[in-house]
Structures are given as C-alpha cells and as structure tokens.
Amino acid sequence: MSSNILITGAAGYIGGSLVADFLARNSPLIKKDQIHAAVRSDEQAEALSKLGIHVLQLDLTNEDAVVESVLRHNISIVVHTASSLDVSLALPLVTALGRQREVSGADTFFIHTSGLSAFYERTGWPSGRMSDAGPVFETERQFADSYPLRKTDVTVIEHAKEKGVTSFIVVPSTVYGKGSGAWNQLSVVLPIYVQGCISNKSVYKFPQNMTVSGVHISDMTALYTTIIEKVIQKETPPSGTEGYYFALAHDISWWELLDHLAKALHARGLVTESKTQVWPSDEAAAEALGIPVQYVQILWNSGDNLTTKNTYKLGWKPQWNKERFLQHLDDEIEAVQELGMAKSSLIASLFQSAKGPNAS
Ligand SMILES: NC(=O)c1ccc[n+]([C@@H]2O[C@H](COP(=O)([O-])OP(=O)(O)OC[C@H]3O[C@@H](n4cnc5c(N)ncnc54)[C@H](OP(=O)(O)O)[C@@H]3O)[C@@H](O)[C@H]2O)c1
C-alpha cells in the first residue's frame, strides 16, 4: 500500500512534534518522502520546508481544495491535529479520504485528535469512570449536543463510516515537555501556568487538589506512530465507534506539582516565595493566567475519571511517569523562559469560543 501521510496542524505543538518524530525515527515504514504537512502561513511553510518534507498551505475548510490536494498527493492516512473543536476542518478531510479510497481502491484512515474536556462532568459528561474500551461513542452521542468537542468526535466517526474511511479518535491528556516541531514548541496548560506564576511572582493553587492525567509529548507522538505503523502493516487496530485511544500515561496531582514548581521557580528567583498560595476565585485565576474564566476548570481539571485499555493493547509503552515528570520540571520552566508563550492561536480560539458561536 502506498501510505502517504498528511499531518494537519503541522506548525503546532503536537503536529510539529509528530513530524519531527517521524523524521527522527527513520522508520522503514514511514519514509521522509511520504510525509506531508499542512500549515497556514507563509512563515510556517518556510520553516517546515527546511525539513525536506512536502508542505501544503491548505485552507482546511475548503472542501474542493482539500479533496484536490489529497488526491494529487495520494494521501491515504491523515493525522488531524489542527482542531479538536472545529468540525468544519475535519469533515472535508474525511470526504477527501473517501474520494481517495474510491479512486485508489485502497483503504484510507483518519486519525482525529480530541481532548479530555469532552469527558468532563462540567461540560455535561455523566459521572463515573470510563475506559476507552467502554461505551465511549454511545455516551458521546447521547450527550453530543451539550458540548462541541463531543459533537465533533461523533460527527467525525459517523461521517467516516458513511464515506468508508477507517477512523480513530486519539485523546491527549495534559501534554507536557518541549516540542520538537519546526514552529510552535510549547503546549498549553503547563506553559500558561508557569508563565502566569512568573508574571505574578507567586505560585497559586486551587482550593481543592485535582488529580489529572498527563503525557509527555514524546509518548504522545509515539502513540500516533504506533497506530500508523499498525495500519501500514495491515494490522489495523479497533476503529470507528470502537476506535478511542486515551493517551493517559500517568497521574498528575496539581498540589504536588505546584509545590515542586514553587520551589523550582523560587530557586531561580522567579517567584518571591517557595510556598504556594490559594487562588481566591476562578475569576482571579482566569485573569492572572490570561484565559476565559469558563476554561479555568476545563483546562486544569479535566480527565480524572478516565482509564485506558486500548492504548496498552496496541503495545503503547509511555517512557515518562510521574517521578520523571517531576524530576524534569525545570525543563518546563526553561522552555517557557526560552520561548515565551506558545506560538499558537489556541488561546485566541478559546476566547472566541467563550464568546459564543456568533461572535466575530
Ligand atoms: N497540547 C495539549 O496539551 C492538548 C491536550 C488535549 C488536546 N489538545 C488538542 O490537540 C490539538 C493540537 O494541540 P496543540 O497543542 O498542538 O495546539 P497548537 O500548537 O495550537 O497547534 C494547532 C495547529 O493547528 C493550526 N490550526 C488551528 N486552526 C486551524 C485552521 N482553521 N486551519 C488550519 N490550521 C489550523 C494552528 O495554526 P496556527 O499556528 O496558525 O495557529 C496550529 O499550528 C488541539 O485541537 C488541542 O485542543 C491539545
């Protein structure tokens, strides 16, 4: 099978790191010439072109352009990291893979990236623990209308089925670690927090401890790669309504993390005290961290109710655990000091989404 691969959001943290990971692995299954990267701006295209891969500047909402590009470049696998939320970017890609399947007669595959907040009680997900091998699709479909991320997952799976495309939903937890991409190398949750602490010269914690799940960026890219390599070797793992993969490598206790962070930032003279203080309210946290208040709990508190069986059945073996993460917390600070804020429109899109769908 010719397995040309398109990665959307390839200038982003996850997509860019995935491209770099493919190149670094030098796998006989994924050769440089097969890698196609979709980006938005001229600067991003220039940065990624230096890697010697195919770079496409593509408006992902333009179905005709997406279909034409997928057919022209003989793409059979798409890894979509450009947006978990905006279904209008995912559907043209799935449609294009459906056309590619008709034209080539070979199977095509769509790997969608979702987010933990789809499974968070405050967004309308029912309470109780859920494994990625459980009835995730059925539950997402039942509660799809109350949260756009769930709606997007369900719509992607149903559209892929209709078009004869094999789909997977990969759900990153809190991804940390400096990315290896050619453009944005910073994640979202931890860099925003570290930056907020440095700006406020103090480390604040939420009044109640929260335990969430985390995954290092190298383990995250390894999960996508495992799925792709299985597909290429015609060992296609469970897909469609059964194809959820929760990237949960280990727990993160926010209070424990913030105690370590306070000491590490204090040792560098970046905060005035080595002890944490307590946010007086979500509003105060939102203002200090520079995000819409609706997203404070969603960003820092989603995902303590999930477990994974499907990723381990694939053979995914994360190399980072909680101890290694805490030992390398200084790396997170250094990355923020070196790079500032993420070169990403994700935060702007959160503000846009907080204003509602009709806001301009
Ligand atoms: N990082 C995490 O911890 C995490 C955890 C769970 C889920 N996720 C989800 O995973 C996805 C990727 O995350 P990330 O951290 O890699 O974010 P990121 O660094 O912001 O990367 C997203 C990339 O997609 C591009 N993009 C956004 N909207 C687009 C559009 N309309 N058309 C074309 N390209 C578009 C962005 O382009 P610009 O560079 O031009 O903005 C950016 O390069 C996001 O949907 C995020 O919600 C991330």
Side-chain angles (χ1 to χ4, degrees):
M1 178 176 80
S2 155
S3 302
N4 283 346
I5 303 167
L6 175 66
I7 298 126
T8 71
Y13 171 65
I14 294 179
S17 301
L18 183 58
V19 169
D21 192 29
F22 284 161
L23 295 173
R25 270 171 204 264
N26 213 4
S27 157
L29 295 173
I30 304 170
K31 303 210 180 73
K32 196 183 215 180
D33 197 44
Q34 291 169 267
I35 304 170
H36 295 66
V39 301
R40 285 208 274 203
S41 72
D42 292 344
E43 297 99 308
Q44 293 168 349
E46 200 185 323
L48 271 92
S49 296
K50 291 183 184 142
L51 302 174
I53 56 172
H54 303 273
V55 178
L56 317 179
Q57 252 176 291
L58 202 51
D59 174 2
L60 297 174
T61 59
N62 181 337
E63 184 172 298
D64 289 344
V66 171
V67 170
E68 192 275 328
S69 213
V70 163
L71 294 182
R72 179 153 47 92
H73 294 280
N74 202 18
I75 303 291
S76 58
I77 300 171
V78 171
V79 186
H80 182 47
T81 75
S83 175
S84 308
L85 203 60
D86 188 349
V87 76
S88 73
L89 307 187
L91 296 187
L93 290 159
V94 174
T95 300
L97 286 173
R99 286 291 312 285
Q100 169 70 6
R101 180 172 170 271
E102 285 166 10
V103 170
S104 68
D107 288 340
T108 53
F109 304 87
F110 185 73
I111 305 176
H112 181 70
T113 305
S114 182
L116 284 186
S117 60
F119 313 101
Y120 182 41
E121 280 178 41
R122 291 198 190 202
T123 68
W125 181 257
S127 63
R129 287 188 87 70
M130 175 72 80
S131 158
D132 51 8
V136 186
F137 173 75
E138 294 73 11
T139 316
E140 277 214 289
R141 189 171 52 181
Q142 191 183 348
F143 296 97
D145 289 336
S146 53
Y147 194 56
L149 213 64
R150 285 193 286 275
K151 184 89 179 167
T152 298
D153 290 351
V154 169
T155 309
V156 163
I157 291 171
E158 290 177 337
H159 191 58
K161 185 172 179 213
E162 190 191 319
K163 299 290 175 190
V165 175
T166 305
S167 66
F168 307 94
I169 306 279
V170 170
V171 183
S173 49
T174 299
V175 193
Y176 61 86
K178 186 178 166 191
S180 48
W183 189 253
N184 178 32
Q185 296 179 337
L186 279 186
S187 189
V188 185
V189 167
L190 205 50
I192 293 177
Y193 213 97
V194 171
Q195 188 67 261
C197 293
I198 294 172
S199 305
N200 291 289
K201 298 205 176 313
S202 325
V203 177
Y204 281 86
K205 63 186 182 188
F206 292 98
Q208 280 188 316
N209 192 17
M210 310 167 193
T211 300
V212 296
S213 294
V215 60
H216 189 267
I217 182 67
S218 59
D219 287 325
M220 192 65 236
T221 57
L223 177 59
Y224 288 103
T225 307
T226 305
I227 296 173
I228 292 167
E229 290 190 339
K230 292 225 174 259
V231 159
I232 293 172
Q233 294 173 100
K234 298 198 183 295
E235 296 168 10
T236 305
S239 60
T241 57
E242 312 290 310
Y244 283 85
Y245 295 87
F246 294 164
L248 314 169
H250 60 82
D251 285 350
I252 295 177
S253 150
W254 270 106
W255 278 10
E256 187 181 9
L257 160 61
L258 295 175
D259 283 344
H260 279 76
L261 188 65
K263 289 191 185 81
L265 287 171
H266 188 253
R268 287 169 176 257
L270 294 169
V271 296
T272 49
E273 283 187 53
S274 61
K275 288 199 168 8
T276 54
Q277 302 178 53
V278 177
W279 293 115
S281 62
D282 278 6
E283 286 72 16
E287 186 163 344
L289 298 170
I291 53 151
V293 70
Q294 296 94 308
Y295 282 94
V296 168
Q297 295 297 329
I298 287 178
L299 281 177
W300 279 281
N301 198 13
S302 293
D304 66 342
N305 54 336
L306 301 178
T307 58
T308 178
K309 284 188 184 156
N310 287 344
T311 57
Y312 295 113
K313 272 195 226 154
L314 273 181
W316 183 56
K317 291 195 184 75
Q319 302 298 303
W320 284 71
N321 57 19
K322 188 177 93 174
E323 288 67 36
R324 189 171 175 194
F325 167 56
L326 290 175
Q327 273 165 17
H328 287 80
L329 210 49
D330 253 355
D331 296 353
E332 306 296 321
I333 301 170
E334 266 171 29
V336 166
Q337 286 206 289
E338 178 196 341
L339 300 167
M341 289 300 275
K343 281 204 274 186
S344 149
S345 54
L346 203 60
I347 301 303
S349 71
L350 293 185
F351 274 100
Q352 186 65 22
S353 138
K355 280 196 238 159
N358 299 322
S360 57

